[in-house]
Amino acid sequence: MDRLSGLDASFLYLETPAQLMHVCGVIVLDASTIPEGYTYACFRAELDRRVRDVPEFTRKLRKVPLGLDHPIWVHDKHFDIDHHVHRLALPSPGGYAELVELTSHLAGLPLDRSRPLWEMWVIEGYVGADGQERVVVFSKMHHATVDGVSGSNLISHLCSLEPDADPMAEAGEPRTVREPGHRELFGRSVVSMVTRPLNAVRLVTPSVELVTKTIGRARAGTAMAAPFSAPRTSFNGTITGHRGIALADMDLEDVRQIKNATGTTVNDVVLAVAGGALRGYLEDRDELPSSSLLATVPVSVREESRHSSGANKVSALFAKLGTDTDDPLERLRDLAERNRNAKEHHSAISADSLQDWAEFAAPRTFGLAVRAYAGFKLPERHPVVHNLVISNVPGPPIPLYFMGALIEGLYPLGPVFHGAGLNVTVMSNNGSVHVGLIACQESMPDIEDLVRRFPAELARLKAAVVADSRPTKRPVKRTRKPVGASR
């Protein structure tokens, strides 16, 4: 029986018509590299072939009786690719503005829970800045099925290293999973419900010890930033179901040069650039808080986790973005030091703590609580937990081909939440850093103004690093000659 982990199931319980829990991606393709040429029929048929034996693409949810336990995954015996892959064309002129308008609309549509939780929209007629036409794939997959790392791994079933090569990861032999009957499922759910309090007792002692250690770190000034300490901004409130998307590109080599010159990490540079972009965005609107914005940064614990099941193996740390600092190099250095403390603090937390506690999420209670939270507009009433989510996902360092088409852009987009209506996700790809922003449209109506600041802020930071590395010219001391010496 393939039962959802508590963390995977939590993303189902958190979902409302306004708070959609799917992750999206905008994949820009050069279809001219497809050996036989591009046609939608062939593209769809090849996609069907590649996903047919991959469980994440062909399984659907089945609820347990009376909601006593988390749902299970079962194979969709009536899987039909036409339910998941759709064809659209951009209206003329088919440029960037038309693309983000369409994808913003698609991002605000929920997935059908009676089928496998994913969709792809093949968008034709997109004309890039160079005047050449591309094909764009807009993908949606529920967070109950993937996290950042597993989502990247899943792409390997659809991509190859050469246009006519086999996928990087083959599905292998299809598994035959017995689907439990109603009585068996009910019995297993009762056992799980009865033993759950015993598991809770085992988690209490480590949690108490963690609180004690955190207090000690806070006194020493080495604790990571605390939730509920974020300043309020215009995008920290109750969200709607309308979405806005914006995309940008940065040079990965610039990020690496800054990292190497300052002794920081790629993630430090990304967060510092995001902090500078947000500072400029808020300052121009007379909304800049005096204290720094606080971001939740998802962290993969896939390598450390003791759990073999579950799609989501993540934890999170909180990072101040230095929006209260104008100098970009000073912001990076301060942020890097805080991140080192945060990582040390985070390493003291069990890799599975979030997954273990999520096992106690009750479907009905969780769902009712989320709806009440939004209905009473509680995000506006209590201190801000965090301002936004920022994810940095390592991508392929070499060219990849999606169904034979060269990937030119790979922009990931995460979910937004009540209280934090902005999500920033960056992904490296073949020498570029692709920046994907998604926000509640009402909370951030001009998301394009924010995203265009990312490349500009990276250039500003690079210039500051170059200026700081130049040797200081000291005045040459002249030796006074004795009186009467020859000239």
Side-chain angles (χ1 to χ4, degrees):
M1 185 176 70
D2 197 0
R3 171 184 174 274
L4 273 73
S5 71
L7 187 54
D8 293 346
S10 295
F11 288 108
L12 297 174
Y13 310 151
L14 282 169
E15 190 163 59
T16 69
Q19 187 169 272
L20 299 170
M21 287 292 106
H22 50 244
V23 294
C24 305
V26 177
I27 310 172
V28 181
L29 303 173
D30 178 5
S32 67
T33 63
I34 299 177
E36 295 81 19
Y38 168 79
T39 65
Y40 173 74
C42 292
F43 191 92
R44 172 192 159 281
E46 179 61 15
L47 190 59
D48 188 21
R49 184 185 75 82
R50 295 194 186 189
V51 305
R52 181 70 54 172
D53 296 322
V54 181
E56 289 85 350
F57 289 111
T58 57
R59 65 189 184 184
K60 64 179 182 178
L61 294 169
R62 180 182 169 188
K63 295 181 179 180
V64 302
L66 305 178
L68 295 177
D69 198 9
H70 304 312
I72 64 171
W73 293 115
V74 296
H75 179 70
D76 185 0
K77 300 175 183 178
H78 306 289
F79 175 78
D80 186 343
I81 195 69
D82 286 333
H83 292 152
H84 302 275
V85 181
H86 316 284
R87 185 186 192 186
L88 290 172
L90 287 178
S92 181
Y96 171 81
E98 288 74 24
L99 177 65
V100 294
E101 181 181 5
L102 176 58
T103 53
S104 297
H105 171 71
L106 297 175
L109 302 177
L111 290 166
D112 184 349
R113 290 200 183 183
S114 68
R115 298 189 174 112
L117 296 176
W118 68 278
E119 288 179 343
M120 286 187 185
W121 300 78
V122 181
I123 303 170
E124 299 170 354
Y126 172 59
V127 180
D130 60 358
Q132 300 299 311
E133 189 168 316
R134 267 85 170 174
V135 173
V136 176
V137 173
F138 183 72
S139 66
K140 294 166 61 176
M141 200 159 209
H142 203 281
H143 221 319
T145 303
V146 293
D147 62 13
V149 174
S150 61
S152 296
N153 294 338
L154 207 56
I155 293 177
S156 61
H157 293 283
L158 309 178
C159 295
S160 57
L161 298 176
E162 298 291 340
D164 54 354
D166 291 330
M168 293 188 297
E170 293 288 353
E173 295 297 324
R175 294 184 304 163
T176 302
V177 180
R178 182 182 63 85
E179 186 174 336
H182 186 84
R183 288 184 179 179
E184 180 185 352
L185 196 55
F186 178 76
R188 286 175 178 266
S189 301
V190 170
V191 172
S192 176
M193 183 179 65
V194 171
T195 58
R196 202 172 292 168
L198 301 176
N199 295 327
V201 172
R202 287 195 288 267
L203 292 175
V204 170
T205 301
S207 298
V208 171
E209 291 176 354
L210 176 61
V211 171
T212 303
K213 291 178 180 178
T214 298
I215 293 172
R217 284 181 174 274
R219 288 174 176 171
T222 59
M224 69 176 166
F228 293 98
S229 63
R232 186 168 296 280
T233 72
S234 54
F235 48 86
N236 297 126
T238 306
I239 62 174
T240 71
H242 301 136
R243 297 291 177 265
I245 287 174
L247 314 171
D249 297 308
M250 301 189 299
D251 191 337
L252 180 58
E253 184 57 32
D254 286 346
V255 174
R256 285 174 173 162
Q257 287 179 9
I258 294 170
K259 170 188 78 78
N260 294 336
T262 57
T264 57
T265 68
V266 168
N267 198 54
D268 292 335
V269 176
V270 167
L271 292 176
V273 168
L278 283 160
R279 175 184 169 87
Y281 174 86
L282 292 170
E283 193 170 37
D284 286 353
R285 287 160 176 75
D286 295 324
E287 295 181 30
L288 182 64
S290 58
S291 59
S292 173
L293 265 62
L294 181 69
T296 293
V297 182
V299 178
S300 174
V301 295
R302 194 162 296 273
E303 298 298 324
E304 297 85 8
S305 176
R306 68 180 186 277
H307 295 302
S308 59
S309 61
N312 286 271
K313 291 183 171 64
V314 294
S315 183
L317 58 82
F318 294 95
K320 290 189 175 183
L321 298 179
T323 53
D324 53 344
T325 302
D326 180 52
D327 183 81
L329 186 53
E330 182 183 348
R331 180 187 307 115
L332 173 60
R333 287 169 174 162
D334 290 346
L335 196 148
E337 183 178 357
R338 288 195 297 266
N339 279 350
R340 282 191 290 270
N341 291 333
K343 288 173 185 176
E344 290 176 4
H345 189 172
H346 184 266
S347 65
I349 304 172
S350 166
D352 294 317
S353 59
L354 183 59
Q355 298 172 75
D356 291 339
W357 279 110
E359 286 297 324
F360 303 98
R364 292 183 180 177
T365 305
F366 223 76
L368 288 172
V370 172
R371 282 165 174 77
Y373 184 72
F376 290 110
K377 295 189 179 296
L378 295 182
E380 283 93 28
R381 297 173 183 267
H382 61 67
V384 178
V385 181
H386 61 148
N387 297 110
L388 70 157
V389 176
I390 301 182
S391 301
N392 177 24
V393 183
I398 56 177
L400 288 186
Y401 296 83
F402 186 94
M403 307 295 143
L406 175 66
I407 296 178
E408 292 188 341
L410 193 56
Y411 305 89
L413 304 159
V416 294
F417 302 87
H418 290 298
L422 171 65
N423 185 299
V424 177
T425 310
V426 303
M427 188 172 191
S428 57
N429 170 49
N430 190 28
S432 294
V433 177
H434 302 304
V435 182
L437 268 60
I438 184 168
C440 168
Q441 205 168 69
E442 285 78 5
S443 301
M444 184 172 279
D446 193 10
I447 192 172
E448 188 63 35
D449 182 46
L450 175 59
V451 81
R452 71 168 67 101
R453 295 173 187 267
F454 276 73
E457 188 60 33
L458 179 64
R460 184 168 174 253
L461 177 57
K462 182 180 178 182
V465 170
V466 171
D468 185 69
S469 62
R470 290 174 183 158
T472 303
K473 291 184 178 181
R474 296 181 180 178
V476 178
K477 291 184 178 180
R478 299 184 178 223
T479 304
R480 180 174 294 183
K481 293 182 180 180
V483 177
S486 60
R487 297 183 179 270

